[in-house]
Amino acid sequence: MKTGAEILVECLKRENVEVIFGYPGGVLLGIYDTLFDADIKHILPRHEQGGIHAADGYARATGKVGVCMATSGPGATNLVTGITNAYMDSVPLVVFTGQVPTSLIGGDAFQEADIIGITRPIVKHSYLIKDIKELAPSIREAFYIARTGRPGPVVIDLPKDVVASKTKFKYPEKVELLGYNPNYEGHPMQIKKLLKTLEGAKKPVIYMGGGVRISEAHKELLEFVEKINLPVVSSFMGLGGFPGDHPNFIGWLGMHGNYASNMAMTETDFIIAIGTRFSDRSTGRLDGFAPHAKIAHIDIDPASISKNVVIDIPIVGDCKVVLNQILKYIGSYDWEKRKKDRENWLAQIKAWDSEHPFSYKPSKKIIKPQFVVEKIYEVTKGDAIICTEVGQNQMWAGQFYRFKDPRQFISSGGLGTMGFGFPAAIGAKIGRPDKEVFDIAGDGSFLMNMQEICTAVQYRVGVKVAILNNKFLGMIRQWQNLFFNNRYSYSCLECQPDFLKLAESYGCPAFRAEKPEDVEPILREAMKIKDLPVLMDFVVDREENVFPMVPAGAALNEMILGD
Amino acid sequence: MRHIISVLVENKFGVLSRVAGLFSGRGYNIESLSVNTTHDPRFSVMTIVTSGDERIIEQIIKQLRKLINVIKVRDVTPMDHIEREMMLVKVHATSKTRPDIFNIINTFRGKVVDITGDSLIVEITGTDDKNKAFIKVLEPYGIIEVIKTGFVAIARGSKATPDYSKTS
């Protein structure tokens, strides 16, 4: 006989969980007492939101399921943003929440919240464990659901008395869920239809998204692209799924994507969309999106197909599996026929790119935020895991760092969660201690979860935080600048802590750069520090904007190009 | 266009709120929803009447299929099917108007289940059209209250509507 707490720990071991990001509380005390002796690493964040974002960053960096835990009531509700964030970006998480004893549920007990009800629209699935016998099977199912198909967060709510009761431990060998059978293999007929259409296309484009990274289909994609010489446009979430320095890589499309990508999507006659959900940030105005193109769409989530854009060739399946199927059939088609067209098309896209590459006006007097990102790329040799906050910093990170590895770029794409980057970087570094991990931050976002410096110092997590400090909510200021007549309504962050003193008060080394020539030496100095977080405060041009920009409601080819 | 969606779900607590929440969260409308267990107590069937163009209905069906507790989803509308809704209608009925009302009830094959001096209650089962027509002809007499069960629908023929033969 084992207690619920012992069963929980045993299940985590069976699932090969290495680390839990958790915050204790009244109803979790039994579990924490068991964890005290368990051979599982536990990280105590300073806020539950920090904990779940760290679990999220860990999951994205490693490809494993992230695990986090919080107590009932406020502990659980503090996870809501993190759960939504993981849901929007298809990140596998198993989230344990404490719950008041079953006898008190519904009575508005101390620290009671209906977390199953609260999180219902933002989870892949959830469980309220009412009987100890359900605990092990539910945990087994939760991990299975979180990591298979289109990954996502699963919540398990644990009433205090259930966890304290005892039963015989048995871990189910197999998971059988009547209503859940993800489809991994694409339909061969549809795949042949895709290849047949591609054979005849003059201006085809691969439009890849986060699904390529999640299913680690990068090698298959590279082989496919090189065999036929196709241009690759990425969504923001797809960055890293295809080598950023490859000659066939065009860039990323959408609101702050590059000119060539947006033009390519406007001119193309055939899009092969792989693992992307056609988000509004990517497509711009829908009736102006890819007006000449037939579209094939490969996605594991059938509901993503034809959700926003009508698809001609739907293929439900896992990106990696389907790309392998494509590679199997590829030899039966005549790729010479349109070879010249494809070469001309690629040359046309390249010409667009050289007309309007990502660029900025360099300065010798003032630090340009883009310059900082370029320098980070240089000093890390393009090999670091880059986490971002949300806003201008995020867009510049996407524009000026070139990613080559599918687990290298960690950013809140769907939800756009300010305060995500720093805790996510801590989680990423814990999962991948061999990698240099940066959080490219804005001052506004960093202030939202800065308490996690304490966590990073305590566990000696060597993450580097690069704040592009413009004393503004930069992206808000940019919109106010472009669309609201420079009326900077409440977007100015004049009152700020002295980030150096703040960091030092936690015992975190910190540097500040005020001139362009200081940027590189500070980065190099920071890189020498291995077992503590480092904070770098880059005082940048306050009024720098992110360009190009597709204004909200405009089509992709209606970009504002800037100076 | 009006669609009737039949959803076979696991008979577990919280499933109804997941289904209903999906509709409200994504801005789809539920015109009627009826739910109960099947002959196999492990399962329930929800019959949902909703409306929307083809793309919305396709999304509704796909999003429903994503729910872990949902086993089968069928759009019954294009199938040859039987649909029924039961209503209880309370209407003013004096000794003067009662014979006329009884005639109407008989024509619509309704059943009087309660009578007082100045009112009566009719139980009536039928399609949307029939039930609406019944209400319309009864309206001049003074309808006091109408209560409906929501629709249930089942495909004609020997196959189950959402085929759950493979679920056992």
Side-chain angles (χ1 to χ4, degrees), chain A residues 245-256:
Chain A
D245 52 3
H246 192 281
N248 287 52
F249 187 68
I250 308 309
W252 49 293
L253 82 168
M255 186 169 273
H256 292 295

Side-chain angles (χ1 to χ4, degrees), chain B residues 34-150:
Chain B
S34 60
V35 50
N36 215 324
T37 48
T38 65
H39 60 291
D40 183 336
R42 292 176 301 156
F43 308 118
S44 291
V45 167
M46 296 182 185
T47 308
I48 302 170
V49 180
T50 184
S51 55
D53 60 27
E54 286 307 311
R55 276 187 61 197
I56 289 176
I57 300 300
E58 190 185 322
Q59 259 303 301
I60 288 174
I61 291 171
K62 284 174 167 179
Q63 294 292 349
L64 282 169
R65 284 186 178 141
K66 276 177 77 170
L67 298 177
I68 307 286
N69 300 124
V70 168
I71 299 163
K72 288 274 158 64
V73 185
R74 285 301 293 269
D75 184 356
V76 185
T77 329
M79 304 166 87
D80 188 7
H81 69 275
I82 309 282
E83 63 174 90
R84 289 289 183 273
E85 181 180 46
M86 194 188 87
M87 299 194 297
L88 293 173
V89 182
K90 193 183 284 182
V91 63
H92 281 295
T94 59
S95 51
K96 221 174 120 189
T97 58
R98 206 174 283 154
D100 284 355
I101 295 176
F102 273 28
N103 266 337
I104 295 168
I105 292 168
N106 282 336
T107 313
F108 280 86
R109 274 175 286 170
K111 200 163 86 183
V112 176
V113 290
D114 186 55
I115 299 185
T116 65
D118 56 357
S119 76
L120 56 84
I121 298 173
V122 190
E123 175 191 321
I124 187 154
T125 305
T127 60
D128 196 30
D129 283 350
K130 177 188 162 184
N131 291 353
K132 276 180 183 156
F134 180 72
I135 297 284
K136 204 173 170 191
V137 292
L138 225 54
E139 243 163 10
Y141 300 95
I143 287 174
I144 301 164
E145 192 179 352
V146 178
I147 195 96
K148 304 177 183 181
T149 57

Side-chain angles (χ1 to χ4, degrees), chain A residues 323-480:
Chain A
L323 278 164
N324 271 316
Q325 288 177 286
I326 287 176
L327 290 172
K328 202 172 85 186
Y329 298 126
I330 210 166
S332 335
Y333 296 82
D334 178 7
W335 303 112
E336 289 299 313
K337 204 162 61 182
R338 294 263 178 229
K339 191 168 173 246
K340 197 77 205 149
D341 285 325
R342 286 196 304 275
E343 280 168 10
N344 291 341
W345 169 231
L346 204 55
Q348 160 75 72
I349 299 175
K350 291 278 163 194
W352 278 325
D353 200 38
S354 29
E355 276 168 46
H356 301 289
F358 284 135
S359 65
Y360 64 96
K361 272 193 191 150
S363 163
K364 288 202 164 136
K365 286 187 195 139
I366 189 160
I367 301 174
K368 293 285 185 171
Q370 301 94 329
F371 174 74
V372 178
V373 179
E374 280 181 337
K375 282 290 162 196
I376 294 172
Y377 181 66
E378 260 177 57
V379 301
T380 58
K381 301 188 177 71
D383 194 40
I385 291 178
I386 301 294
C387 303
T388 78
E389 300 293 344
V390 165
Q392 289 184 316
N393 61 83
Q394 181 183 30
M395 296 302 130
W396 284 319
Q399 290 185 343
F400 291 93
Y401 203 98
R402 287 173 187 274
F403 303 93
K404 55 189 176 196
D405 184 274
R407 302 216 170 267
Q408 201 186 351
F409 183 52
I410 295 176
S411 192
S412 170
L415 192 64
T417 310
M418 287 177 73
F420 168 75
F422 179 42
I426 294 173
K429 182 73 182 173
I430 288 169
R432 294 294 308 271
D434 55 312
K435 298 286 265 188
E436 200 67 67
V437 178
F438 268 75
D439 172 32
I440 294 181
D443 43 321
S445 281
F446 184 71
L447 286 169
M448 282 203 177
N449 270 320
M450 65 182 182
Q451 76 284 348
E452 300 306 330
I453 303 174
C454 204
T455 313
V457 170
Q458 179 183 338
Y459 297 98
R460 307 192 86 77
V461 183
V463 291
K464 314 281 186 288
V465 180
I467 301 177
L468 309 177
N469 188 348
N470 55 14
K471 287 196 174 181
F472 265 120
L473 298 174
M475 193 58 96
I476 300 296
R477 189 207 55 75
Q478 172 165 343
W479 283 56
Q480 290 171 334

